[in-house]
Amino acid sequence: MNFLEERILKDGIVKDGNVLKVDSFLNHQMDIALFNEIGKEFKKRFKGNKINKILTIEASGIGIACIVAQHFDVPVVFAKKAKSINLEGEMYVAEVESFTHNCKNQVIVAQKFLGEKDHVLIIDDFLANGCALQGLIQIVQSAKATVEGIGIAVEKGFQPGGRIIRNLGIQLESLAIVERMDSTTGEIEFRVQEG
Ligand code: 5GP
């Protein structure tokens, strides 16, 4: 079991509706030493990839992305969410359905921060149905930039996002993949990963 799986077992709480609450260390209160370990691990897993930018989505991806970026020594761009936007200037826009909030958002990135020369590592805290990631991939494609890989802290392997993204042929690295969880017993089971 790796450091993140251990922490999820210790402090994660399984809620009804397939929601894993990790707000004591990941996406409300943030354990920066843990984020640093996450950064180190992604740096190892994407060692051979030429990465010059990290892309994430507000809000909960930003903290992790910033610490990961220190390990790659590259800037972070975060896609902004907007319910309805008056487009000003040149923007890339994608539509994203939110798993946790059950609504649709547009996500936007200013064109000046992403272009065809960029080799992008996408970082996010969770992968569930894959809508957030598909929106970010669409934005990278609109910019004619390259997705070098995707780093996720927690993937819920029983939801379809991971399969959808891997089928696109993108290198997707999830540090913890929850195979099964039960809100009545609180049990959490992880997928056994190689390495
Ligand atoms: P997706 O677009 O893959 O369905 O959902 C990804 C987003 O939903 C993540 O960025 C995360 O903010 C949120 N999310 C999805 N599932 C969970 C969950 O079980 N727990 C928490 N805390 N956030 C989740």
Side-chain angles (χ1 to χ4, degrees):
M1 198 175 301
N2 70 29
F3 66 97
L4 184 59
E5 292 167 331
E6 278 171 10
R7 187 59 180 272
I8 292 167
L9 286 190
K10 182 167 163 275
D11 292 327
I13 298 166
V14 183
K15 293 283 190 189
D16 287 341
N18 282 334
V19 172
L20 176 63
K21 237 176 144 49
V22 287
D23 59 357
S24 66
F25 61 97
L26 202 76
N27 54 19
H28 194 6
Q29 176 168 260
M30 298 184 284
D31 182 334
I32 302 306
L34 181 84
F35 284 18
N36 203 39
E37 288 304 308
I38 291 175
K40 224 190 274 175
E41 183 61 28
F42 283 142
K43 179 69 184 166
K44 205 164 82 188
R45 293 194 188 197
F46 294 104
K47 196 171 51 194
N49 307 51
K50 179 178 131 198
I51 288 158
N52 73 324
K53 203 160 275 189
I54 287 178
L55 177 67
T56 189
I57 183 165
E58 70 175 1
S60 52
I62 296 175
I64 296 177
C66 289
I67 304 295
V68 172
Q70 287 193 306
H71 290 263
F72 287 85
D73 198 19
V74 299
V76 176
V77 175
F78 68 90
K80 296 188 178 218
K81 288 179 187 164
K83 283 252 150 51
S84 66
I85 48 171
N86 296 316
L87 284 181
E88 255 184 59
E90 311 278 282
M91 305 280 187
Y92 302 115
V93 184
E95 189 115 314
V96 168
E97 214 153 320
S98 162
F99 174 80
T100 38
H101 298 110
N102 200 15
C103 65
K104 272 191 177 174
N105 282 306
Q106 282 179 317
V107 296
I108 58 173
V109 169
Q111 290 190 3
K112 64 181 170 188
F113 297 129
L114 206 56
E116 57 189 337
K117 290 200 181 80
D118 286 322
H119 291 258
V120 178
L121 175 63
I122 297 174
I123 294 287
D124 206 359
D125 60 342
F126 264 90
L127 169 56
N129 292 323
C131 302
L133 284 186
Q134 282 175 285
L136 292 177
I137 291 167
Q138 197 185 316
I139 281 178
V140 175
Q141 286 170 342
S142 308
K144 297 189 168 61
T146 307
V147 179
E148 282 291 331
I150 299 177
I152 296 292
V154 189
E155 174 181 336
K156 291 188 292 181
F158 52 86
Q159 288 181 258
R163 188 171 29 82
I164 293 168
I165 301 298
R166 289 187 180 93
N167 282 345
L168 296 174
I170 296 172
Q171 183 184 353
L172 167 62
E173 299 285 347
S174 301
L175 301 190
I177 304 180
V178 177
E179 204 63 279
R180 201 182 62 81
M181 59 188 200
D182 187 330
S183 62
T184 51
T185 62
E187 275 175 289
I188 302 171
E189 218 175 84
F190 297 104
R191 186 178 300 173
V192 179
Q193 300 193 70
E194 283 164 33

